[in-house]
Amino acid sequence: MDNKKINVPVGAGGILIITIFISLCLMIFSVLSFTSAYSDLKLAKRAQDMTEDYYIIHGNAEEKLSEINDALFEINTNKTSGKITDKLSSIDGISFIDEGAILQYEVYGEKNQKISVILNILQDSAGYYYKIASWKLSNIDMPDYEDNTIDVWKGTE
C-alpha cells in the first residue's frame, strides 16, 4: 500500500455556525445595552424634572417666608396694637393655628410634590419673630392602596 496523503477539505459549515453565533451574541448584547442606556436616560430626565420642580417650589416657599418676615418687621417697627393674625391675614395662602401662635402654608409644584411649612410666631422684648417648626417636602397625591385583592384560589368547599 501506498502512503499517500489524502487531502480532505475542511467544511465551511463549522466556521459559518461560529460566525453566526458570534454575530447573534453581539446583536443581543448591543440591544440590551441600548435598552439599558435608554431607560437610564429616561430616569435621569425624570430626576432632573423633579429636582427642577423642587427648587422652584423651594424658592416660592422662601418668598412666602420673606413676605411673612417683612410683615412681622412692619408690625415691630410700627408698634401697632391688635391681633397679629389681623396683620398677617393680608398674605395669601397662610392659615393660623392656635390663635395666631402657629402659622401654616403650603407651596405646590407641578410634579406631584409640595412643601408644607409650619412656623411658630413668638414674641420677645424686640417684638414678633418666627421659628420654623417644620419644613416638609411630600407628595400632593398619595397612591391609592385600596384593598384590591383578587381571590385566585377559592379553596375547597
Side-chain angles (χ1 to χ4, degrees):
M1 277 215 182
D2 222 346
N3 283 346
K4 288 186 180 178
K5 292 184 178 178
I6 301 173
N7 289 334
V8 177
V10 176
I15 295 174
L16 182 63
I17 290 174
I18 291 174
T19 305
I20 290 173
F21 178 73
I22 289 174
S23 299
L24 189 62
C25 288
L26 287 174
M27 188 180 346
I28 289 171
F29 287 133
S30 66
V31 168
L32 289 175
S33 175
F34 176 76
T35 57
S36 175
Y38 185 69
S39 65
D40 287 348
L41 176 67
K42 288 194 318 186
L43 181 63
K45 284 183 179 181
R46 188 176 312 143
Q48 177 188 0
D49 292 343
M50 291 292 285
T51 304
E52 181 180 350
D53 188 54
Y54 167 75
Y55 282 114
I56 289 170
I57 62 173
H58 185 80
N60 292 340
E62 289 284 347
E63 287 176 3
K64 182 76 67 178
L65 186 62
S66 175
E67 287 180 43
I68 293 168
N69 189 39
D70 291 344
L72 290 176
F73 180 75
E74 185 178 328
I75 291 169
N76 290 336
T77 55
N78 293 338
K79 302 289 184 191
T80 58
S81 61
K83 293 177 102 176
I84 190 169
T85 56
D86 296 336
K87 307 296 181 189
L88 290 175
S89 62
S90 63
I91 300 173
D92 290 333
I94 63 171
S95 60
F96 295 97
I97 305 170
D98 195 24
E99 297 179 10
I102 299 174
L103 184 133
Q104 175 182 1
Y105 65 93
E106 293 179 338
V107 179
Y108 295 94
E110 295 178 4
K111 303 290 182 191
N112 193 32
Q113 51 187 353
K114 68 178 178 180
I115 292 181
S116 302
V117 180
I118 298 176
L119 303 174
N120 291 328
I121 305 297
L122 305 170
Q123 184 179 16
D124 63 2
S125 60
Y128 290 104
Y129 64 99
Y130 67 87
K131 231 179 192 179
I132 298 174
S134 172
W135 188 286
K136 292 182 185 176
L137 175 69
S138 61
N139 290 334
I140 295 172
D141 297 321
M142 294 301 289
D144 189 16
Y145 295 114
E146 289 182 11
D147 191 17
N148 293 333
T149 57
I150 300 172
D151 193 11
V152 178
W153 185 60
K154 301 289 185 199
T156 58
E157 295 179 11

